[in-house]
Amino acid sequence: GLHWKKLLLKFRKRFHAVCNCSCSFCSMCNHGNFDYWVVKLTSTGGITWQKSLGGSADEENIEDGGTGQLVQTPDGGYIVSGFSKSNDGDVTGNHGNSDCWVVKLNSSGIIEWKKSLGGSLDEGYYSRIIQTADGGYCLVTKTSSPTN
């Protein structure tokens, strides 16, 4: 309906979004509360593929305040960063309340790898990621965990 069309128009500008969706709305199940919802669109706005990533708690990658980032990689895939409060579903290795969660997808939206990074408190808000010359990635994010 009209709500879905408005969301797609928003996605055409951003190419990705976070959604708290139900199976009947998204035509796919999310894993819990908020998930990363990556949608690849054609140049005319048709959905090529969509992927819900997360666990039973909150995962967020993009908000109006700029929580995280999605970057297309040279191999045609995508890397997405943000935060996760889960330790189940697609998310493993949570270190505290919320961790910075980085997911690498191939060009078809299949998970190639994922990593939870953090300390005992909150990480992952306002994360930015770039690909380095050696093919790796450099990530910067906010942390509230104490350093040792």
Side-chain angles (χ1 to χ4, degrees):
L2 183 59
H3 182 67
W4 180 246
K5 289 178 185 176
K6 286 180 183 177
L7 284 175
L8 277 178
L9 290 174
K10 182 178 178 183
F11 298 152
R12 287 176 66 181
K13 293 178 185 172
R14 290 187 164 178
F15 301 103
H16 56 285
V18 171
C19 172
N20 182 10
C21 61
S22 67
C23 294
S24 61
F25 175 72
C26 292
S27 75
M28 55 185 274
C29 290
N30 72 347
H31 300 278
N33 213 10
F34 288 94
D35 287 350
Y36 293 3
W37 183 26
V38 183
V39 182
K40 181 168 183 186
L41 303 172
T42 66
S43 61
T44 59
I47 295 174
T48 303
W49 53 260
Q50 56 184 320
K51 184 78 174 179
S52 178
L53 303 164
S56 60
D58 291 342
E59 286 72 39
E60 294 187 31
N61 75 317
I62 294 293
E63 292 180 344
D64 294 337
T67 297
Q69 191 173 23
L70 180 139
V71 175
Q72 187 165 23
T73 55
D75 63 3
Y78 300 88
I79 192 158
V80 62
S81 66
F83 75 83
S84 174
K85 294 183 177 183
S86 299
N87 201 21
D88 58 7
D90 296 322
V91 186
T92 56
N94 184 289
H95 299 94
N97 186 38
S98 65
D99 281 352
C100 185
W101 191 45
V102 181
V103 182
K104 172 64 171 76
L105 303 172
N106 70 15
S107 60
S108 300
I110 306 299
I111 296 173
E112 290 185 349
W113 56 264
K114 56 203 172 184
K115 185 76 175 174
S116 293
L117 303 162
S120 59
L121 297 176
D122 292 317
E123 283 76 36
Y125 298 90
Y126 307 103
S127 63
R128 295 292 178 260
I129 193 162
I130 61 167
Q131 188 154 32
T132 57
D134 64 1
Y137 299 92
C138 184
L139 172 79
V140 62
T141 190
K142 179 180 175 182
T143 181
S144 61
S145 294
T147 57
N148 295 333

